[in-house]
Amino acid sequence: MKITSVECYLGQFITMKINTNEGIYGWGEAGLAYGNSFEAAFGQCQDFAKLIIGMDPFDTEKIWEHLHRHTFWGMGGGVVITSAMAAIDTACWDIKGKALGVPVYKLLGGKTNPKLRAYASQLQFGWSDLIQKDNKGEALGLLFDPKDYYEVTKNALRDGYDAIKVDPVFAPTDPDTPLEKIWGSQGTQIRGCYRQHDLQRSVERIAACREAGGPDIDIIVEIHSLLDANTAAELGKALEPLHIMYFEEPTSPENPSNFRHIKQKCDLPLATGERSYTRWGFRQFFEDRTLSVIQPDLCNTGGITETKKICDMAQVYDMGVQIHVCGGPIATAAALQVEAAIPNFTIHEEHNANLKNIFIQAGKYYYKPENGYYTVPDLPGIGQEMTDEFLATCRKVVIGG
């Protein structure tokens, strides 16, 4: 089997379709569409697509090493590079599963998890009542008052979840702050010193979630690296009485030793990974054992091939895995395949952006948790592809053919 052409699509999600001389095709996704690098990832997908024409898609290890070592910049990594590698790698695994007539998890060793527990993610932007009803599935919101955090937690509980994730820092204390100022100041509004009124409000928001959910709900606290190590440690210490499942991205992962500083100052389990790329980006976290949970983004860290290796390395250090999922339908489907196979799976991220119409309509199949748990698709390959209606809205570039 040989790769004959690659179709690259730029829309709400960055997707790729790899075609072969046997008529079997596979779908992949580059994960940068939800940030500010989607054009870069789209271009990198085209650059790397030129390098795999004529190769055998079954040779996923060979293709990964080829892109990593023979492109000059590949060995230096970086998310633009590894997101394109991820799109190609995932599409090749999809082809392998389809050619053999089995889901990808079978090729990764089979299921170790019959179903996958999920959590309702990013509740500071609302959940189904706000997104699907009030906003008609078109947009997320932003919550300020602790009572709204209480209500959104109840919303997630009604939908069957017993675990949630909330960022108590993203929305400032003042609800009259213009949205453009909020988005423009993220990561700089709390540095060096956590003002007491801001600290109190952050804790009050999580306390409201705990009150709504009671002792049996698991609460993941998300910071999006908006704090520095000092303020993150201060918030973590203040949150200890609320029994947090883990403290995600408390500060930037670029300096892993800062996580050691936070770990010394508070007793919360720490997690990070969506902005760490390849095995090399996780190495020091493994060696320091500062993390309890790793969160590699499959569509940004190099695809199924690389993510499985990262998960296996984490198991050596007794670290759990929650794959970061904040992309399109391909990202969700690929993550489910890997999570089904790994013994150290912790929980799956069900992002509230998955409740928007664009996500629901973009994939041929709409997978969602039932009573807080995912059933892994048993279709051949990753079990997902993009709809013609979605692709008609995208910019398209074809390489080869």
Side-chain angles (χ1 to χ4, degrees), residues 66-204:
H66 175 53
L67 298 177
H68 177 59
R69 293 188 173 273
H70 301 154
T71 58
F72 191 80
W73 296 114
M75 290 180 69
V79 65
V80 174
I81 296 287
T82 53
S83 68
M85 293 170 68
I88 290 170
D89 182 78
T90 302
C92 288
W93 278 97
D94 192 27
I95 290 170
K96 289 200 284 187
K98 289 174 177 175
L100 297 172
V102 296
V104 165
Y105 72 76
K106 286 284 190 182
L107 304 179
L108 298 176
K111 282 185 183 178
T112 63
N113 306 295
K115 60 180 182 177
L116 303 176
R117 185 187 182 205
Y119 67 86
S121 183
Q122 309 298 339
L123 294 195
Q124 72 279 0
F125 298 127
W127 194 249
S128 57
D129 285 354
L130 174 62
I131 298 166
Q132 294 173 326
K133 295 179 183 178
D134 296 353
N135 293 347
K136 304 186 187 309
E138 298 298 335
L140 305 180
L142 183 59
L143 307 180
F144 293 85
D145 196 293
K147 73 177 189 307
D148 294 325
Y149 286 74
Y150 178 96
E151 293 299 333
V152 78
T153 301
K154 289 291 190 183
N155 185 184
L157 288 169
R158 290 194 297 272
D159 286 348
Y161 293 90
D162 61 4
I164 63 171
K165 181 161 79 178
V166 182
D167 183 336
V169 175
F170 195 97
T173 302
D174 182 4
D176 295 323
T177 307
L179 283 176
E180 61 270 17
K181 183 176 180 181
I182 295 173
W183 288 103
S185 64
Q186 290 305 299
T188 58
Q189 80 276 34
I190 302 174
R191 308 294 293 175
C193 176
Y194 215 134
R195 299 289 302 278
Q196 282 303 302
H197 63 277
D198 289 328
L199 178 62
Q200 180 180 351
R201 179 49 55 94
S202 296
V203 174
E204 287 172 348

Side-chain angles (χ1 to χ4, degrees), residues 6-78:
V6 179
E7 302 171 21
C8 302
Y9 295 93
L10 174 60
Q12 184 73 27
F13 314 110
I14 305 165
T15 51
M16 172 185 288
K17 182 182 180 185
I18 294 181
N19 300 302
T20 69
N21 61 340
E22 296 187 14
I24 300 173
Y25 58 83
W27 284 96
E29 181 175 338
L32 290 179
Y34 56 85
N36 292 304
S37 299
F38 53 94
E39 291 275 3
F42 182 57
Q44 193 64 57
C45 284
Q46 296 170 55
D47 287 342
F48 277 1
K50 299 170 187 174
L51 304 180
I52 63 169
I53 300 298
M55 297 187 75
D56 185 342
F58 269 71
D59 294 341
T60 45
E61 192 72 34
K62 180 179 179 180
I63 290 173
W64 203 96
E65 283 293 304
H66 175 53
L67 298 177
H68 177 59
R69 293 188 173 273
H70 301 154
T71 58
F72 191 80
W73 296 114
M75 290 180 69

Side-chain angles (χ1 to χ4, degrees), residues 51 123 132 137 158 218 240 254 258 260 275 314 342 350 362 369 394:
L51 304 180
L123 294 195
Q132 294 173 326
R158 290 194 297 272
D218 282 322
E240 285 179 5
E254 294 172 312
N258 283 341
R260 187 165 60 247
R275 283 180 273 207
I342 57 174
E350 181 65 4
C394 296

Side-chain angles (χ1 to χ4, degrees), residues 43 78 163 180 198 217 291 302 306 318 322-323 327 331 381:
E180 61 270 17
D198 289 328
I217 194 171
L291 301 181
E306 188 68 4
D318 283 343
Q322 173 244 291
I323 292 179

Side-chain angles (χ1 to χ4, degrees), residues 358-373:
I358 183 63
F359 181 94
I360 295 170
Q361 297 165 6
K364 184 175 180 180
Y365 310 101
Y366 178 45
Y367 300 121
K368 64 178 182 177
E370 298 293 339
N371 295 317
Y373 283 83

